[in-house]
Amino acid sequence: EKGGYDYFMLKEIAEQPKAVADTLLGRIGTDGRLTLDEVRIEDRVLRAVDKIVIVACGTAFHAGMIAKYAIEHWTRLPCEVELASEFRYRDPILDQQTLVIAISQSGETMDTLMALRHAREQGAKVLAICNTNGSTIPRESDAVLYTHAGPEVAVASTKAFLTQLVACYLVALYLGQVRGTKWGDEINTVIRQLADAPRQVEEVLGTMEPVRELARSLSSASAVLFLGRHVGYPVALEGALKLKELAYMHAEGFAAGELKHGPIALIEQDLPVVVVVPSPRGRSVLHDKIVSNIQEIRARGARTIVIAEEGDETVAPYADHLIRIPVTPTLLQPLVSTVPLQVFACELATARGHEVDQPRNLAKSVTVE
Ligand code: M6R
């Protein structure tokens, strides 16, 4: 069952290149254009959409946060992302021109289901991104884009998250393609780069031994902080969530720019802080800002664990531990930067003697509100 691995989580982490490849399969045409016919929402309807709202919980919510950056960039449509459990209680503004995207691995999460029912009652169209064929959420949606991660058994979501990201990128790029935006050329390039993601995820998986070693050395730490900017911010939140769920440690993710507005007071001698560094190419302002953040926390005694692109030498002097990831376009970086955080949490939890597949107090699918 576990294919030679000690835990389903380890098996599922290792399956990510295939899960990503399977989710891309048949969706990029030979001409390099996306074909998402299965979505069954007419292009005419997609062209009329004037707002996108994403609802999801937990890890799927983090995928939604990343999707917002991609959707707004490539489609220029306003996109909101909200925790499904909060959504309907604030009486959200929705109409026929709103496209609601509900993201759920299981397709049975009650909070997400109630949010999508509320959205449909208001006349919005709902597109589900789901990993479970025939489950309730896709059945109650107007359309569905399935992720092909295969069954995910471990409570902590890993391969489902990566495939949710792929599905979100596909939707964002497809909307850009259908609606035609000024980013047409970039969209074509990114579609090609996305096709290379399985190979890049495989590459990261091949370099995880130092991450496991580092995790074991931190097994008695009392807390770990995670920082990121732009799409690295949801990645930081995801890294912290994995550590809470599995290692039962106090773990927090912050937008690096918020540090000076409060969280920097938490920094003390030897506190491990994981920093997800954006690519130095492209949006270099982001990169420079985060390098200053790393300097600030290091000057206050933090033990810095820096996740940065291959070839980015500027961060090296401030990194107590440097974890390298392949060069990727800024928006796609979460596909590779999340992997070390999954491995880190899994190994740290194991070192603390916890059962990673069945963390205490948690269920794989949360079917109550
Ligand atoms: O099945 P869903 O994707 O709707 O589940 C949503 C969350 O319950 C889920 O992602 C949860 O946060 C995971 N245990 C995270 O690892």
Side-chain angles (χ1 to χ4, degrees), residues 52 54 62-81 101 164-177 179 181 183 186-187 190 194 230-232 234 283 329-335:
I52 294 182
I54 301 176
H62 297 152
M65 286 179 77
I66 293 166
K68 174 183 161 83
Y69 290 89
I71 289 172
E72 291 197 334
H73 179 70
W74 288 320
T75 71
R76 306 312 297 151
L77 281 170
C79 176
E80 293 168 16
V81 48
I101 303 178
Q164 282 161 356
L165 289 180
V166 170
C168 289
Y169 293 134
L170 289 173
V171 169
L173 293 163
Y174 186 69
L175 282 169
Q177 189 180 284
R179 298 169 60 91
T181 63
W183 299 113
E186 183 181 312
I187 286 175
V190 173
L194 196 54
H230 193 257
V231 290
R283 271 156 256 208
T330 305
L331 282 163
L332 302 189
Q333 197 200 50
L335 285 171

Side-chain angles (χ1 to χ4, degrees), residues 57-60 103-109 112 137 155-157 164 238 241-242 245 362-366:
C57 306
T59 288
I103 309 175
S104 174
Q105 186 287 129
S106 62
E108 301 295 347
T109 300
T112 311
I137 288 173
V155 165
S157 186
Q164 282 161 356
E238 174 62 8
L241 178 63
K242 288 281 103 79
E245 278 189 293
L362 292 173
K364 180 65 183 162
S365 125
V366 185

Side-chain angles (χ1 to χ4, degrees), residues 55 190 321:
V55 290
V190 173
H321 305 274

Side-chain angles (χ1 to χ4, degrees), residues 20-347:
V20 168
D22 288 349
T23 302
L24 287 167
L25 198 71
R27 287 165 173 170
I28 303 177
T30 41
D31 58 354
R33 285 177 70 80
L34 296 177
T35 43
L36 295 185
D37 301 346
E38 56 189 293
V39 165
R40 291 191 331 264
I41 298 183
E42 287 172 57
D43 288 357
R44 176 183 55 84
V45 176
L46 291 178
R47 276 191 212 101
V49 166
D50 65 6
K51 182 171 86 165
I52 294 182
V53 179
I54 301 176
V55 290
C57 306
T59 288
F61 173 71
H62 297 152
M65 286 179 77
I66 293 166
K68 174 183 161 83
Y69 290 89
I71 289 172
E72 291 197 334
H73 179 70
W74 288 320
T75 71
R76 306 312 297 151
L77 281 170
C79 176
E80 293 168 16
V81 48
E82 184 146 6
L83 289 166
S85 56
E86 289 291 320
F87 180 68
R88 68 191 173 117
Y89 300 104
R90 72 172 164 92
D91 196 8
I93 302 162
L94 306 161
D95 59 30
Q96 279 94 336
Q97 262 100 58
T98 313
L99 176 66
V100 171
I101 303 178
I103 309 175
S104 174
Q105 186 287 129
S106 62
E108 301 295 347
T109 300
M110 189 55 74
D111 289 314
T112 311
L113 181 61
M114 297 312 277
L116 87 81
R117 282 186 185 157
H118 182 79
R120 291 195 76 197
E121 276 161 21
Q122 313 300 307
K125 283 257 176 294
V126 177
L127 166 67
I129 291 180
C130 184
N131 196 46
T132 313
N133 252 309
S135 54
T136 313
I137 288 173
R139 268 194 283 119
E140 293 206 14
S141 299
D142 294 284
V144 54
L145 184 64
Y146 280 107
T147 50
H148 297 302
E152 192 181 61
V153 178
V155 165
S157 186
T158 54
K159 60 175 181 171
F161 176 68
L162 255 57
T163 61
Q164 282 161 356
L165 289 180
V166 170
C168 289
Y169 293 134
L170 289 173
V171 169
L173 293 163
Y174 186 69
L175 282 169
Q177 189 180 284
V178 169
R179 298 169 60 91
T181 63
K182 62 173 179 161
W183 299 113
D185 289 346
E186 183 181 312
I187 286 175
N188 295 336
T189 312
V190 173
I191 293 173
R192 278 199 302 279
Q193 288 162 325
L194 196 54
D196 197 33
R199 195 193 54 76
Q200 292 200 315
V201 176
E202 187 82 66
E203 194 181 321
V204 189
L205 284 170
T207 60
M208 288 298 97
E209 198 39 48
V211 175
R212 282 190 277 268
E213 238 170 75
L214 171 67
R216 288 193 291 270
S217 77
L218 293 174
S219 65
S220 54
S222 56
V224 180
L225 301 187
F226 295 77
L227 302 179
R229 271 182 186 267
H230 193 257
V231 290
Y233 167 44
V235 171
L237 295 176
E238 174 62 8
L241 178 63
K242 288 281 103 79
L243 207 58
K244 285 176 204 162
E245 278 189 293
L246 302 173
Y248 317 147
M249 285 170 81
H250 176 224
E252 288 295 328
F254 296 110
E258 273 293 293
L259 260 188
K260 56 186 175 302
H261 300 290
I264 200 163
L266 290 169
I267 307 291
E268 56 188 20
Q269 198 58 38
D270 292 330
L271 177 76
V273 184
V274 180
V275 189
V276 185
V277 178
S279 168
R281 301 156 304 108
R283 271 156 256 208
S284 57
V285 198
L286 283 175
H287 177 269
D288 298 350
K289 292 229 163 89
I290 216 156
V291 174
S292 325
N293 295 141
I294 304 174
Q295 287 173 269
E296 280 156 18
I297 55 169
R298 199 157 186 265
R300 289 164 178 79
R303 180 161 165 190
T304 56
I305 302 165
V306 177
I307 302 182
E309 241 181 34
E310 252 350 301
D312 178 359
E313 295 310 327
T314 50
V315 289
Y318 317 110
D320 295 311
H321 305 274
L322 190 51
I323 300 169
R324 290 297 189 183
I325 51 173
V327 174
T328 43
T330 305
L331 282 163
L332 302 189
Q333 197 200 50
L335 285 171
V336 288
S337 55
T338 307
V339 177
L341 302 182
Q342 300 167 340
V343 172
F344 180 76
C346 186
E347 191 70 25

